[in-house]
Amino acid sequence: MNTMRFDDLRQYSDVLRARNGEVVTVRFVEPRDAEALQNYFRSLTTRSRYNRFLGATRELPPSVLADFIDIGEADRFSVIATMLIDGRETIVGEARYAFDSDTASIEFGLSIDDRWQGHGIGKALLKNLECRAASFGAERIFGDTLRSNDAMIALARKSGYAFANTPGDWKLVRVQKEIHVEPQDIPCASWRLAAVSPSAMSSLAV
């Protein structure tokens, strides 16, 4: 499989804004981020980690961390949301998403650092994921979350998502939204990546 170099990937970062106007950069995860990403998950509260992974965990097992940072199957991607804090790039959120061509849908999961929740970063990151979904030509974006995850449910409701039962698991609720816009009308890194090289989306993944 041909993969893109990480120096190529850096030009496909998105610049978002927190509610107070601070810059939030969304970029693909790189191998050099492994330790920082692990520390990010360790720094989350027990409840936030439970909500993100639908179960108790203190840190990412090595195999899961490898899934986050390694280039592999072309339908799975990982991004981190970073801010400059005291002059250092700091992870304040992350997301993973996967494209299913059979159903023309994107499945996602995300988390925001507890210290930065309530600053509009989650809403901005979710909107960015919708753009990335459109860049694949996806017709729907969805994610499953615990019914007790009030923060994610509130974020989805404010972002115009519908709610449905998750097949086979009563503890979860599915949040979903139809994608009705053309990808070129929602500029983001994934759209630029696809526009530059039609084959890029089938040769890049993390």
Side-chain angles (χ1 to χ4, degrees):
M1 177 186 296
N2 293 324
T3 57
M4 297 185 68
R5 299 189 309 273
F6 284 108
D7 55 352
D8 294 330
L9 289 181
R10 294 189 186 106
Q11 64 182 303
Y12 301 111
S13 299
D14 289 320
V15 176
L16 314 180
R17 294 284 177 176
R19 185 170 293 124
N20 63 2
E22 289 193 71
V23 171
V24 180
T25 300
V26 177
R27 64 172 178 81
F28 290 109
V29 173
E30 303 177 20
R32 67 182 175 89
D33 298 314
E35 183 177 0
L37 188 63
Q38 185 70 279
N39 288 336
Y40 164 82
F41 285 118
R42 288 170 178 158
S43 73
L44 295 178
T45 62
T46 300
R47 182 179 181 83
S48 289
R49 287 196 302 271
Y50 191 92
N51 285 337
R52 178 62 175 91
F53 298 107
L54 310 180
T57 182
R58 191 182 73 84
E59 61 180 21
L60 295 182
S63 61
V64 177
L65 181 60
D67 287 340
F68 266 83
I69 64 172
D70 289 345
I71 290 181
E73 297 298 326
D75 60 350
R76 296 184 179 276
F77 299 80
S78 299
V79 294
I80 51 177
T82 69
M83 298 176 65
L84 280 179
I85 300 175
D86 296 329
R88 297 182 60 184
E89 183 187 42
T90 303
I91 300 174
V92 296
E94 57 77 33
R96 276 174 59 77
Y97 56 100
F99 178 60
D100 185 336
S101 59
D102 292 336
T103 60
S105 63
I106 288 278
E107 181 177 6
F108 76 93
L110 65 81
S111 68
I112 302 297
D113 188 313
D114 293 84
R115 294 163 293 184
W116 287 95
Q117 292 179 15
H119 290 257
I121 297 173
K123 185 176 182 180
L125 180 57
L126 186 54
K127 179 63 66 175
N128 185 256
L129 293 180
E130 292 171 19
C131 170
R132 292 168 183 266
S135 76
F136 281 90
E139 299 173 359
R140 182 175 72 114
I141 182 171
F142 74 94
D144 294 318
T145 190
L146 291 167
R147 292 182 181 275
S148 58
N149 189 350
D150 296 334
M152 185 64 223
I153 290 173
L155 171 61
R157 183 173 289 113
K158 291 177 183 177
S159 301
Y161 281 66
F163 295 82
N165 293 326
T166 296
D169 197 330
W170 64 268
K171 299 187 299 299
L172 303 179
V173 61
R174 177 160 294 180
V175 300
Q176 55 191 10
K177 187 175 185 179
E178 302 299 317
I179 304 293
H180 294 299
V181 292
E182 295 298 324
Q184 63 266 31
D185 294 332
I186 330 174
C188 67
S190 287
W191 168 247
R192 292 195 297 275
L193 184 61
V196 169
S197 173
S199 63
M201 300 310 287
S202 63
S203 65
L204 166 69
V206 289

